């Protein structure tokens, strides 16, 4: 079993690094047929790969998307030529837990499932097959990339049931822009008032309220001074806010003391009460989006894209489509800028994530999949460095270029092409960049895996309007407004595997329901009823087994600090 073969895996990992180091000068060919021939010669000689055409179903319950077949993309066709495998991609429609619940109840599964937050339901139902032997026999490149992290997603029974999305290899490269949590503001507001430095929550809402009173409409539309995302599992984008305002990163439902490494809940803390009182005041003033707690995800994205939302809190990766829509609309002052807002001046913001590995989410092969080794072979090809360069950078001389020092960069034309949604879908960059086994960090040649993290690309993507705001605040990249992340070797705590049916898991499930119900009632209550609604929530919340939940995460954090995962 894998746990008994870690020494062998580490040897594989080291051999992988040696091989990668010897390949620094290799370049991805734009001749796709040549790619296929070169990368499969050894396997063809050994007769190990069955390329008989086969199509598997791949259900993504994490995010909605376009249902396609993977071989309709250029990258997918290359992978099909190498492995014979094609995937019919399907995405979630409706409620996550309902969809996964129906699968489990019917005992009828797609071949591959990404259950996201419902992964425990799938594991409890025995829906995923163990991958240990399959990985050892058919996934050497997967094991090389994921080797240092295997213990983090190996279950207590010694089995691996799914592959997480991203193992850091080589050097960690921070993002020059903000793709995580932040308070966002329509940046034309900052220009209107002379580019003020805004750090505290009071300052943030003062400027938004002032602008809303002076500009009640934008292009004939009523402004929405403050909005947010509360739909379905994404409710964390609202409930996490007091944690960030208090100067903590997203560890899940707990804050972790930097000295004692003890975890404590914040849902009923004074931080949460202070945040909800602010929201309650906004609502009383008519500054809160009236549909904050009822709008679905698509409606939320539509609002952000309209240009009439002045401010909101969210994680950058959740509203990329709105960012694109606003940029395409051609009015740069309607775009948003991220601010590291905290409660008080003396609080150090911690919005930027430290290096992290999330091991409690991933893609699993279900018991209904025939010949699962074919899927592992496909994934193994996908995580190879040459394929990852295609996924993230595209094709050389089309989507990026290489300078005399081997550094990847993009011309303005290449930037526009690589950001074009139609092109990204045709190539497969949008299809394969996430929700598949992949790597993070940097390639063996030192280039960033993700172009957005490559300094040469980030600087080249900035428009003249972007530079106006950067220059006004004396920064070169937008992330420079934020404090550097403190070292947190346990991060993120929420990536811990929580046993289904345990006290802590039952608490989390019930607490989520209580928070969703009561936070909305507290926020929308008449100001005179705020204290009553808050106290009702605390009573309901504290009726749960809070202690077991805090102890679970304290044990997780302290074990990780000791190097135990």
């Amino acid at each position: 079993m894998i746990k008994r073969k870690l020494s062998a895996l580490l040897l594989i990992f080291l051999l992988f690094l040696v091989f990668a180091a010897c390949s620094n000068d290799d370049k991805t060919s734009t001749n796709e047929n040549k790619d296929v021939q070169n990368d499969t010669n050894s396997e063809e000689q050994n007769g190990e790969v069955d390329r008989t055409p086969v199509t598997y179903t791949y259900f993504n319950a994490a995010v909605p998307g376009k249902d396609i077949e993977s071989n309709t993309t250029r990258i997918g066709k290359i992978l099909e030529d190498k492995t014979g495998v094609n995937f019919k991609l399907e995405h979630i429609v409706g409620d996550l837990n309902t969809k996964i619940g129906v699968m489990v109840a019917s005992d009828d599964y797609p071949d591959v499932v990404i259950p996201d937050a419902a992964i425990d339901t799938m594991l409890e139902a025995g829906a995923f097959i163990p991958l240990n032997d399959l990985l050892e026999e058919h996934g050497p490149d997967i094991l090389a990339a994921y080797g240092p992290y295997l213990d983090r997603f190996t279950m207590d029974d010694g089995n691996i049931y799914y592959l997480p999305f991203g193992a850091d290899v080589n050097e960690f490269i921070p993002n020059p822009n903000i793709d995580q949590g932040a308070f966002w503001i329509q940046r034309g507001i900052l220009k209107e008032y002379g580019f003020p430095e805004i750090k505290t929550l009071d300052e943030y809402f003062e400027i938004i309220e002032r602008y809303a009173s002076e500009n009640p409409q934008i292009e004939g539309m009523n402004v929405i001074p403050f909005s947010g995302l509360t739909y379905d599992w994404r409710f964390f984008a609202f409930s996490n806010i007091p944690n960030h305002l208090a100067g903590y990163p997203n560890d899940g439902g707990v804050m972790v003391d930097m000295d004692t490494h003890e975890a404590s809940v914040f849902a009923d803390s004074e931080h949460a009460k202070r945040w909800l009182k602010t929201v309650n005041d906004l609502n009383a003033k008519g500054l809160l989006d009236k549909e904050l707690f009822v709008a679905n995800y698509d409606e939320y994205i539509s609002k952000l894209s309209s240009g009439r939302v002045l401010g909101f809190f969210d994680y950058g990766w959740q509203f990329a489509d709105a960012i694109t829509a606003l940029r395409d609309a051609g009015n740069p002052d309607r775009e948003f800028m991220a601010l590291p807002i905290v409660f008080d001046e003396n609080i150090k913001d911690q919005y930027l994530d430290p290096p992290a590995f999330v091991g409690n989410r991933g893609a699993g092969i279900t018991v209904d999949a025939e010949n699962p080794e074919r899927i592992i072979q496909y994934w193994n090809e996908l995580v190879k460095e040459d394929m990852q360069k295609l996924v993230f950078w595209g094709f050389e001389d089309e989507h990026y270029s290489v300078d005399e020092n081997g550094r990847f960069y993009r011309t303005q034309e290449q930037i526009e092409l690589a950001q074009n949604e139609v092109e990204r879908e045709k190539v497969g960059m949008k299809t394969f960049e996430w929700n598949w086994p992949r790597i993070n960090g940097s390639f063996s040649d030192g280039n960033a895996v993700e172009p957005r993290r490559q300094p040469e690309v980030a600087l080249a993507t900035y428009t003249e309007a972007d530079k106006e705001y950067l220059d006004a605040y004396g920064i070169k990249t937008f992330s420079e407004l934020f404090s550097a992340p403190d070292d947190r070797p346990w991060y993120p705590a929420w990536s811990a595997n929580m046993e289904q049916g345990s006290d802590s898991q039952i608490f989390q499930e019930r607490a989520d329901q209580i928070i969703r119900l009561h936070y909305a009632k507290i926020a929308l209550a008449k100001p005179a009823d705020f204290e009553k609604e808050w106290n009702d929530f605390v009573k309901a919340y504290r009726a749960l087994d809070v202690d077991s939940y805090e102890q679970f995460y304290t044990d997780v954090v302290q074990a990780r600090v000791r190097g135990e995962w």
Side-chain angles (χ1 to χ4, degrees):
M1 301 302 291
I2 280 186
K3 275 197 168 182
R4 296 198 299 270
K5 297 184 179 181
L6 284 179
S7 296
L9 294 182
L10 288 175
L11 177 59
I12 293 173
F13 179 61
L14 291 172
L15 290 173
F16 170 80
L17 292 180
V18 171
F19 174 78
C22 294
S23 305
N24 281 354
D25 296 329
D26 290 352
K27 293 184 179 180
T28 302
S29 171
T30 58
N31 184 319
E32 295 161 33
N33 292 328
K34 185 177 179 181
D35 270 345
V36 176
Q37 182 179 351
N38 288 345
D39 293 337
T40 60
N41 277 344
S42 61
E43 290 175 320
E44 288 175 342
Q45 291 170 1
N46 294 330
E48 295 177 356
V49 177
D50 176 9
R51 293 189 178 81
T52 304
V54 61
T55 296
Y56 291 100
T57 50
Y58 201 103
F59 181 73
N60 185 347
V63 293
K66 186 176 182 180
D67 294 347
I68 64 170
E69 297 205 13
S70 61
N71 65 1
T72 61
T73 69
R74 289 174 66 183
I75 294 173
K77 186 63 174 67
I78 292 174
L79 287 165
E80 184 184 44
D81 289 342
K82 291 182 176 185
T83 64
V85 174
N86 175 47
F87 285 100
K88 182 179 180 182
L89 307 177
E90 301 171 350
H91 296 79
I92 185 73
V93 175
D95 179 70
L96 167 67
N97 292 318
T98 299
K99 182 65 177 180
I100 298 298
V102 170
M103 284 185 188
V104 170
S106 65
D107 197 28
D108 184 18
Y109 304 101
D111 299 308
V112 177
V113 174
I114 302 166
D116 198 64
I119 195 165
D120 289 338
T121 302
M122 294 286 285
L123 293 171
E124 180 71 14
F128 290 145
I129 64 171
L131 303 180
N132 304 43
D133 293 341
L134 290 167
L135 289 171
E136 290 179 7
E137 185 172 355
H138 302 284
D141 293 276
I142 296 173
L143 292 178
Y146 282 82
Y149 304 98
L150 289 177
D151 282 351
R152 304 191 190 187
F153 56 97
T154 299
M155 299 292 104
D156 290 339
D157 63 1
N159 286 323
I160 290 173
Y161 291 99
Y162 58 86
L163 289 181
F165 307 127
D168 280 305
V169 299
N170 302 314
E171 180 186 1
F172 172 76
I173 299 178
N175 195 342
N177 298 310
I178 302 301
D179 62 350
Q180 291 300 313
F183 276 84
W184 301 79
I185 190 169
Q186 195 174 107
R187 60 190 194 180
I189 299 174
L190 301 174
K191 181 191 291 188
E192 179 79 9
Y193 301 121
F195 302 102
E197 292 189 13
I198 301 173
K199 180 176 181 179
T200 69
L201 190 64
D202 288 342
E203 292 169 344
Y204 175 80
F205 282 120
E206 283 170 4
I207 195 171
I208 285 178
E209 183 174 1
R210 177 183 174 187
Y211 188 87
S213 66
E214 296 174 358
N215 302 271
Q217 287 194 328
I218 291 178
E219 298 176 2
M221 300 178 292
N222 292 332
V223 301
I224 300 174
F226 188 77
S227 188
L229 179 58
T230 64
Y231 181 67
D232 197 34
W233 60 271
R234 301 176 192 268
F235 193 86
F236 74 91
F238 182 82
S239 59
N240 274 0
I241 295 175
N243 172 61
H244 291 296
L245 287 169
Y248 291 84
N250 180 17
D251 261 319
V254 294
M255 295 173 168
V256 178
D257 186 281
M258 291 292 286
D259 297 320
T260 66
H261 302 133
E262 293 180 344
S264 58
V265 298
F266 60 84
D268 67 338
S269 67
E270 286 302 309
H271 304 303
K273 185 177 182 181
R274 183 174 175 182
W275 162 242
L276 290 172
K277 183 63 172 68
T278 299
V279 179
N280 183 267
D281 291 342
L282 291 173
N283 185 58
K285 294 178 180 179
L287 300 174
L288 191 68
D289 184 356
K290 291 180 173 57
E291 298 177 336
L292 174 61
F293 295 103
V294 296
N296 63 31
Y297 179 69
D298 289 339
E299 291 168 337
Y300 166 75
I301 294 297
S302 178
K303 286 181 185 180
L304 297 189
S305 303
S306 70
R308 63 192 183 107
V309 174
L310 304 185
F312 63 100
F313 177 94
D314 199 1
Y315 298 83
W317 57 269
Q318 294 208 102
F319 62 96
D321 288 346
I323 293 173
T324 301
L326 287 168
R327 179 141 295 191
D328 290 345
N331 186 343
D333 291 337
R334 296 284 176 250
E335 296 179 38
F336 295 106
M337 186 165 173
L339 299 176
I341 301 300
V342 289
F343 278 127
D344 302 306
E345 284 280 352
N346 62 344
I347 295 174
K348 178 184 178 182
D349 69 90
Q350 286 290 279
Y351 285 97
L352 301 185
D353 281 348
F357 177 82
V358 177
N360 68 343
R361 296 287 191 276
I365 301 175
T366 73
V367 294
D368 287 347
E370 297 183 2
N371 301 317
E373 69 277 2
R374 303 286 302 276
I375 298 173
I376 295 296
Q377 289 165 357
Y378 187 99
W379 285 349
N380 193 69
E381 290 293 336
L382 179 60
V383 300
K384 290 180 178 179
E385 187 166 289
D386 63 326
M387 289 305 306
Q388 291 290 285
K389 286 181 178 179
L390 290 179
V391 168
F392 291 103
W393 285 88
F395 292 88
E396 186 178 340
D397 296 329
E398 291 184 56
H399 305 98
Y400 73 101
S401 298
V402 184
D403 68 16
E404 64 276 8
N405 297 316
R407 295 291 297 173
F408 292 4
Y409 68 96
R410 280 175 171 164
T411 65
Q412 193 58 44
E413 288 183 354
Q414 290 170 337
I415 289 171
E416 293 174 2
L417 182 64
Q419 291 179 344
N420 182 281
E421 289 299 294
V422 174
E423 176 70 8
R424 286 171 53 75
E425 289 178 359
K426 181 176 71 174
V427 173
M429 299 162 78
K430 185 172 184 178
T431 301
F432 292 101
E433 69 180 348
W434 200 247
N435 294 308
W436 296 81
R438 53 163 283 181
I439 60 174
N440 295 316
S442 59
F443 295 119
S444 57
D445 57 17
N447 287 293
V449 170
E450 297 179 310
R452 63 188 178 137
R453 295 179 183 268
Q454 187 92 331
E456 294 94 330
V457 174
L459 294 174
T461 60
Y462 292 147
T463 64
E464 290 304 313
D466 292 332
K467 294 174 184 177
E468 177 184 10
Y469 287 90
L470 292 167
D471 291 344
Y473 285 96
I475 53 179
K476 293 182 179 179
T477 65
F478 288 105
S479 64
E480 289 179 32
L481 279 180
F482 293 69
S483 299
D486 291 334
D487 182 37
R488 287 175 164 83
W490 64 85
Y491 188 82
W494 61 261
S495 67
N497 288 304
M498 191 176 291
E499 184 180 350
Q500 189 76 8
S502 64
D503 290 342
S504 52
Q505 187 274 327
I506 292 172
F507 167 86
Q508 182 168 277
E509 183 176 316
R510 294 177 178 173
D512 286 347
Q513 295 171 353
I514 290 172
I515 291 169
R516 287 176 62 89
L517 172 64
H518 284 274
Y519 272 22
K521 294 173 67 175
I522 295 167
L524 302 179
K526 295 179 181 178
D529 296 332
F530 176 84
E531 287 293 336
K532 175 186 178 302
E533 293 293 347
W534 171 258
N535 291 332
D536 287 347
F537 160 65
V538 173
K539 182 178 180 181
Y541 186 78
R542 284 288 158 175
L544 303 177
D545 189 359
V546 176
D547 292 342
S548 68
Y549 186 74
E550 291 181 328
Q551 190 60 52
F552 170 81
Y553 277 113
T554 294
D555 291 343
V556 166
V557 168
Q558 293 180 352
R560 290 181 176 181
V561 169
R562 295 193 300 268
E564 304 166 7
W565 285 79

